[in-house]
Structures are given as C-alpha cells and as structure tokens.
Amino acid sequence: MSEREFIPVRIAVLTVSDSRSLAEDRSGDVLAARIEAAGHVLADRKILPDERAEIAAQLRAWCEDAAIDVVISTGGTGLTGRDVTVEAHRDVYEKEIDAFGTVFTHVSMAKIGTSAVQSRATGGVAMGTYLFALPGSPGACKDAWDEILSKQLDYRHKPCNFVEIMPRLDEHLRRK
C-alpha cells in the first residue's frame, strides 16, 4: 500500500474586524503563515468590517471562484452585538459541518477551560467550497489550524479527510 501524495489546497483568509488593518492582523497572519508552511496556497486575503451582508457577499464570491477551495474567517464569532460572522456564514452554507464547532470547543477546553463556551466557531460547505469561521484571537486560530484544519486539509490524513471528498461536494449541482 503506497502513501498518498500531498495535494495543496487553495485557501482564502478573511479577517472580520471593525478596528484592524492588514498591518495589525495577527490572527490573519497566523493563518496565512500556517497555510503556506503546510504547503497550501494562500489564494486571497481580505479584511472586512463586522457587517453581515458584506461578509456573506465575500464568502459567496470566494465560493464562486474556481481558484478557491477553502475559506477561513477569523473574528466575529463571539456573543456581542457586532459579532455577526457566524450568521453570515450560515446565510451562505448549503450544509453545516456540525462537528467542527464541537471539536473546536473540545480543543479550546484544554487551553482556556470553560471560557470555550463563548466561541461560536462553525464550519460548512457551499458551492463545493469549505468555509470555517474561527474566533479572532491568534491562539484560537493556532488551535483550530494545528489541531483540526491542518489534518483535515491534508489528503494524506487517515482514516479520512476533507480533501478526498472535495470533488464530490458539488455533485448535487451537476447535471445528471
């Protein structure tokens, strides 16, 4: 039995913040560095304010872009009034990856204890593209990438991973 070859995935990073610029985007920097260090392609990177319609429009645009396989957002997953990233993601999802939030909470519990309940990290699929919403802290981005996404976005990961089912994510949209 031969080992699988690595397949680079094209990933866009969206930082949601009313106050950060690209120069101050530590969470986006963490994700970009880890994406590239893993051998994947940083396909695009943007910062948007906490505006549900703008976030959803950007997610849709990236989902429609054949050069992007995965979108990871950071920020706006908390409980305050301006935290609308999760709602924007759910406006776009065709299917939610329910266990992503559960596994993220499990990972977070080991690091920050019961404060993990304040995160609404989520994942889903739309138009054949994976979408993940992570909290806006560099630590949360490191945890999500190192403990979950780096493995699930690696075709060599067994027993299964997100990459191997990528070609089938949009099969319901194709003509029969």
Side-chain angles (χ1 to χ4, degrees), residues 4 17 37 40 43 46 66 87 110 120 139 141 143 145-146 152 155 162 170 176:
R4 295 177 175 181
S17 175
H40 296 297
K46 291 190 183 334
E87 289 73 21
R120 298 184 303 135
C141 290
D143 293 344
W145 181 265
D146 295 350
Q152 282 300 300
Y155 182 65
F162 289 143
D170 64 354
K176 299 286 185 213

Side-chain angles (χ1 to χ4, degrees), residues 86 90 93-99 121-125:
V86 173
R90 289 183 174 146
Y93 290 166
E94 293 165 4
K95 295 182 180 181
E96 191 158 357
I97 305 170
D98 297 314
T122 185
V125 177

